[in-house]
Amino acid sequence: MQETVRRIEEELKNPSGNLDSVISDAISSVKDIQELLQIAELLSRNKRYPEAKRVLVQILDAHPEDGQALYLLGNVSVALNEIEKAKECYTKSLSLGGPAEKATAALALVEKALGNKRKAEQLLKEAGESEKASLLPQMMLYSLYMEQSRYGEARKTAEGICSNLPQSYLGFHSYLLTFFEEHKYEEAKQYLESIREPFGNVQEYVLDYVSTLLLMKKPAEADVYWQSKVDSLEIDSLEFMRIETQIASDLQDKDRALKANKKLYETYAIEDAAISIATLYIVDRAFDKALEYLKPIIYKKRFTKAYYSALFLKAFCEEQVTSEAAEASYKEAIQIYEEAVKKNAVNTYVMSFAAECYRKIGDVENALRCESLVADFRRQYSV
């Protein structure tokens, strides 16, 4: 490793306040452009973007047609939110022999960020047609089509991914997702069955097939298939635990759902699982046990959906024991809900909880106000 690179690396690991000085020494003494590029990349990887920009600008002052330096400066410009500058750098890098595929993909992202989606699409299509093209342009084009709800074109692009990677489930999963987005679950099931021969024992395939059956409201059929596979596959992964909780919930098997959610919560500390556990205990009127799972979520105050749910459920549990404590909790929840809405505009689940709390304390006027906001939002965005 070059001495200058080593010094900068050491300064990044153990800052002494001399980084600017070390960079200045590098700019004035290092003549090897590859070493300077290495320094710029090192600074960029460590999120020292202004310093990386300083080095790259120095390189380009001496070598204005270096395509790699222009590409790296484009990346740094994106990180510094200098989008137009990034576009300029990527465009020039491509014209000067910079890393073609990477620069094209980066330029497409910039064009998309600037609202030029057609230009982004054109760039990705051209990159994907190159003889040396990797999957990157195809995957980005697929994502672009999915974002625009152009599912037919997304399927066609996914077919290309399947052709390039016939042994991988990646392209087939991408193809499947187009059916999910269109709520065509019967077609999704038929498609999965058509590719069962090569992929039937792949974990992702099993997850997709069970998820499809659950979306089709066929939990019993999903469970039969699930049980036939669960012993031969790794059950302790997060995705598999989520599926188990969903099957148990859809089958309305409380004991199984409680066990599955406890395992999910104990293994991965998933707060949504704690909310499910608390809800199951509330159904059984075991309010003290429910509170054991709700209070830690409230204490952490992470402002997640689980947090807002926990506020309401805690007040509800207290209501079953003493109305005086419950009223204070409902009022506290309302204050937090209203503050959340002010910061994030209308949030349907927060406002729905607020409406419930207002009704619990007898404030019908504000309850109706919250319900009206939720209804207006759902009409406007078809939520």
Side-chain angles (χ1 to χ4, degrees):
M1 182 187 296
Q2 299 95 325
E3 177 61 22
T4 305
V5 175
R6 188 198 64 75
R7 287 175 60 200
I8 291 175
E9 206 166 54
E10 181 62 31
E11 184 63 31
L12 291 168
K13 289 179 182 177
N14 304 294
S16 64
N18 294 323
L19 182 60
D20 284 343
S21 175
V22 176
I23 291 173
S24 294
D25 289 345
I27 289 173
S28 62
S29 63
V30 175
K31 304 305 180 185
D32 183 359
I33 188 172
Q34 293 304 317
E35 185 174 350
L36 287 172
L37 287 169
Q38 188 179 352
I39 290 169
E41 288 187 277
L42 175 62
L43 292 166
S44 184
R45 283 199 305 272
N46 284 273
K47 303 187 187 305
R48 302 302 293 261
Y49 301 118
E51 292 86 349
K53 180 179 179 179
R54 180 182 166 196
V55 175
L56 290 165
V57 167
Q58 187 71 24
I59 293 171
L60 289 166
D61 282 346
H63 306 274
E65 296 189 351
D66 189 283
Q68 178 68 16
L70 283 161
Y71 167 70
L72 293 175
L73 184 56
N75 292 347
V76 169
S77 298
V78 169
L80 294 171
N81 201 32
E82 298 171 355
I83 305 302
E84 288 290 352
K85 179 65 176 177
K87 178 180 177 179
E88 177 188 333
C89 290
Y90 291 139
T91 302
K92 193 171 181 181
S93 174
L94 283 168
S95 70
L96 295 171
E101 188 173 278
K102 289 181 179 179
T104 300
L107 180 58
L109 286 174
V110 166
E111 292 286 10
K112 180 184 168 187
L114 292 170
N116 305 325
K117 293 183 179 179
R118 287 188 179 179
K119 180 62 176 177
E121 180 181 345
Q122 179 187 345
L123 285 164
L124 293 171
K125 280 183 174 178
E126 290 173 357
E129 290 168 358
S130 167
E131 289 184 6
K132 297 181 179 179
S134 71
L135 285 176
L136 179 62
Q138 284 182 303
M139 290 302 300
M140 290 179 64
L141 187 59
Y142 168 82
S143 296
L144 184 66
Y145 286 144
M146 290 292 280
E147 289 172 13
Q148 297 178 12
S149 302
R150 294 163 64 182
Y151 301 121
E153 289 158 293
R155 270 193 286 276
K156 185 176 180 181
T157 305
E159 286 176 351
I161 299 171
C162 293
S163 297
N164 287 333
L165 280 178
Q167 305 303 318
S168 169
Y169 186 61
L170 174 65
F172 298 91
H173 174 72
S174 300
Y175 193 98
L176 174 72
L177 291 181
T178 65
F179 291 126
F180 281 4
E181 289 297 321
E182 293 182 289
H183 306 289
K184 294 180 177 179
Y185 304 128
E186 184 60 47
E187 287 91 335
K189 181 172 180 278
Q190 291 173 7
Y191 176 69
L192 284 166
E193 288 171 350
S194 74
I195 61 172
R196 180 171 289 178
E197 182 58 35
F199 298 113
N201 289 318
V202 174
Q203 289 191 16
E204 291 80 4
Y205 175 93
V206 174
L207 290 167
D208 282 340
Y209 193 76
V210 174
S211 297
T212 301
L213 292 173
L214 291 173
L215 288 167
M216 295 174 71
K217 310 298 182 186
K218 295 182 176 181
E221 186 178 344
D223 192 36
V224 170
Y225 178 77
W226 176 248
Q227 295 302 330
S228 73
K229 293 291 183 179
V230 75
D231 289 337
S232 60
L233 298 170
E234 179 56 62
I235 187 60
D236 287 331
S237 71
L238 175 60
E239 294 82 3
F240 272 60
M241 287 188 189
R242 286 190 183 278
I243 287 289
E244 173 66 15
T245 60
Q246 186 63 52
I247 290 174
S249 175
D250 287 3
L251 289 173
Q252 299 183 353
D253 186 333
K254 288 195 297 183
D255 291 340
R256 182 177 172 184
L258 189 61
K259 180 181 177 181
N261 277 290
K262 281 186 175 181
K263 186 172 183 180
L264 181 59
Y265 183 60
E266 290 164 3
T267 306
Y268 293 101
I270 303 295
E271 291 185 342
D272 287 345
I275 293 297
S276 296
I277 295 166
T279 303
L280 289 165
Y281 277 133
I282 288 171
V283 170
D284 285 342
R285 302 192 64 78
F287 303 115
D288 289 342
K289 288 184 177 180
L291 287 169
E292 289 177 13
Y293 286 89
L294 297 171
K295 287 180 178 179
I297 298 173
I298 295 170
Y299 177 77
K300 290 175 185 175
K301 203 173 185 180
R302 289 179 178 164
F303 301 103
T304 59
K305 186 173 182 178
Y307 171 68
Y308 295 122
S309 300
L311 288 169
F312 175 77
L313 292 174
K314 173 179 174 289
F316 180 84
C317 289
E318 290 172 346
E319 184 182 14
Q320 312 310 307
V321 182
T322 166
S323 58
E324 184 177 342
E327 184 171 352
S329 291
Y330 281 129
K331 287 180 178 179
E332 179 185 359
I334 285 169
Q335 183 179 353
I336 294 170
Y337 294 149
E338 294 283 15
E339 287 174 0
V341 171
K342 287 177 184 176
K343 292 178 182 177
N344 301 304
V346 175
N347 184 308
T348 53
Y349 66 83
V350 171
M351 290 305 291
S352 296
F353 283 132
E356 288 292 328
C357 289
Y358 275 125
R359 286 196 177 279
K360 289 290 187 179
I361 64 172
D363 189 340
V364 177
E365 182 179 349
N366 272 312
L368 291 171
R369 173 180 62 83
C370 293
E371 289 166 356
S372 177
L373 283 170
V374 172
D376 289 345
F377 183 84
R378 286 177 172 163
R379 276 195 297 272
Q380 182 176 356
Y381 295 99
S382 300
V383 177

